[in-house]
Amino acid sequence: MTDTNLDERLSRLGTHLDDERSARTGTADPALAGPTRRRGRTVRRVALAGVAAAAAVLVAVALVAAPDGGTNIEATGTATASAPADAPAPGELVPHVPSPPAWFGEPAPGMREGAHRTGRWASLAIGVEDGTVVRNPIWVGVTDGTLQGLADASTVDVAGKQYRTFSHGDWHAVATQDGDDVTIVAAGTADTDTLAAVVESARVERTPNGPDLFLTNLPAGYGPAASAQRHAEDTAERRTVASADGQTGVNEVSDWVRADLAAAASGADYEQISVDGAEAFTGVTQSSTTGEPLRFLMFSPQPGVVIDITTTDPNRTVDDLVELARNVELLPIDEWKALHTR
């Protein structure tokens, strides 16, 4: 089935950060749940998973004083960034592969579930820089809405304070208690105590556009990895494309707005590369459904649009995913449906 650690884990960070964990919290093998016949083809309902890493460069960021004297992890030196004004809404553009590589085969249309997050969200990420690789990223989010995965979370006590938590393998999410006016979440492969400390260091400023997010302290060795960003709406049903063998998927995850943030949400080490000049991030995580290694590539073909390619095919390399990414076109949803529906 097609896994995207981002969606499943952020399915669990939302049902993940991201994404399957994002979104640890990409796509890999399409799950055949209630197939629908479309022009002689099957539209498969796809379960997504997330992202991870191979080798990269930290995004250049600036540190800006927050209102309480803390640190706002920003790229612009202003308030939490909003989605580009002219960016299409998530789901308006759909990935299409008109000339797939031979190994990909005939593309199969599919569908995945979204709407794991409700309300207004802002998030950022921190990580440990190791040469060109960002290791052990921690994703930090704040919302005045909900996160699906927290509905079944357990309670953990850290230093006399209670938090909500849930895990998937070595990936963990720690969140403030239900009933607060906003929810703060930290997620990654760090231990619970570290994640709880990051939650405690988060400061929130209410604005007419939603909450702004600041961090007052970073764990030892950590620095900024992805600057503070407002999310776009996590819409319910999203169209996707899978390879003929169902091991590779191409997913639109533009509710993340930026590829670096989506990659960090996976919790996996990741590296920055380029797809024909477009910023891209790649790494390796683990499928939440099969436990297989899952290679991902996140890239942004245009501002505000994020595409997540994932594969559980052990023969696929980063170069293969870059080749596939170069063949991805974005179609308006109506045009995409006309190709795959009656």
Side-chain angles (χ1 to χ4, degrees):
M1 98 179 246
T2 309
D3 270 313
T4 15
N5 264 349
L6 181 67
D7 225 320
E8 234 293 22
R9 287 189 183 183
L10 285 170
S11 205
R12 307 189 58 111
L13 227 198
T15 171
H16 156 238
L17 235 118
D18 108 14
D19 30 244
E20 185 174 33
R21 161 198 320 191
S22 170
R24 318 188 188 202
T25 205
T27 308
D29 162 30
L32 305 179
T36 305
R37 295 299 295 177
R38 307 289 189 192
R39 278 199 190 185
R41 310 179 71 179
T42 299
V43 175
R44 302 187 247 186
R45 189 164 293 277
V46 177
L48 305 186
V51 275
V57 181
L58 275 173
V59 176
V61 295
L63 300 183
V64 182
D68 60 359
T71 298
N72 181 12
I73 301 182
E74 285 287 345
T76 60
T78 59
T80 302
S82 296
D86 57 351
E92 285 187 0
L93 295 180
V94 185
H96 174 58
V97 188
S99 302
W103 60 264
F104 191 81
E106 180 66 18
M111 183 180 294
R112 69 179 180 86
E113 293 182 358
H116 301 303
R117 299 180 304 278
T118 67
R120 297 176 296 182
W121 279 83
S123 72
L124 53 79
I126 58 177
V128 178
E129 183 178 4
D130 181 7
T132 60
V133 178
V134 178
R135 300 196 183 281
N136 305 318
I138 295 176
W139 176 80
V140 191
V142 62
T143 183
D144 57 11
T146 63
L147 184 64
Q148 249 181 342
L150 290 175
D152 299 319
S154 58
T155 300
V156 63
D157 186 288
V158 178
K161 184 170 182 176
Q162 290 190 326
Y163 303 87
R164 290 177 288 169
T165 184
F166 60 92
S167 301
H168 180 77
D170 60 355
W171 179 93
H172 315 286
V174 172
T176 51
Q177 285 285 59
D178 193 19
D180 294 341
D181 59 339
V182 296
T183 296
I184 300 170
V185 186
T189 58
D191 58 69
T192 299
D193 287 358
T194 299
L195 294 175
V198 172
V199 168
E200 286 304 305
S201 79
R203 297 293 179 266
V204 178
E205 181 181 354
R206 280 70 171 176
T207 79
N209 296 319
D212 275 355
L213 181 62
F214 305 91
L215 292 184
T216 58
N217 293 290
L218 303 184
Y222 274 77
S227 57
Q229 173 69 56
R230 297 191 195 285
H231 289 233
E233 182 183 3
D234 182 12
T235 52
E237 291 190 340
R238 308 286 271 282
R239 308 293 172 148
T240 188
V241 174
S243 61
D245 62 9
Q247 291 185 286
T248 304
V250 183
N251 309 283
E252 176 267 325
V253 293
S254 300
D255 46 292
W256 288 93
V257 182
R258 295 207 323 269
D260 61 340
L261 189 61
S266 72
D269 299 348
Y270 63 92
E271 175 185 22
Q272 184 177 335
I273 60 174
S274 174
V275 176
D276 289 341
E279 184 179 79
F281 300 87
T282 185
V284 177
T285 184
Q286 190 177 59
S287 167
S288 65
T289 55
T290 66
E292 300 171 277
L294 184 144
R295 184 179 296 281
F296 72 87
L297 186 152
M298 289 272 186
F299 70 105
S300 182
Q302 65 187 66
V305 175
V306 181
I307 300 298
D308 178 19
I309 297 177
T310 61
T311 186
T312 54
D313 183 345
N315 296 313
R316 299 282 67 86
T317 65
V318 172
D319 288 344
D320 289 332
L321 299 192
V322 170
E323 177 190 23
L324 176 58
R326 287 172 172 158
N327 284 281
V328 172
E329 293 184 1
L330 298 174
L331 294 181
I333 182 63
D334 290 344
E335 290 185 28
W336 191 95
K337 288 180 178 179
L339 289 176
H340 301 296
T341 63
R342 296 185 184 279

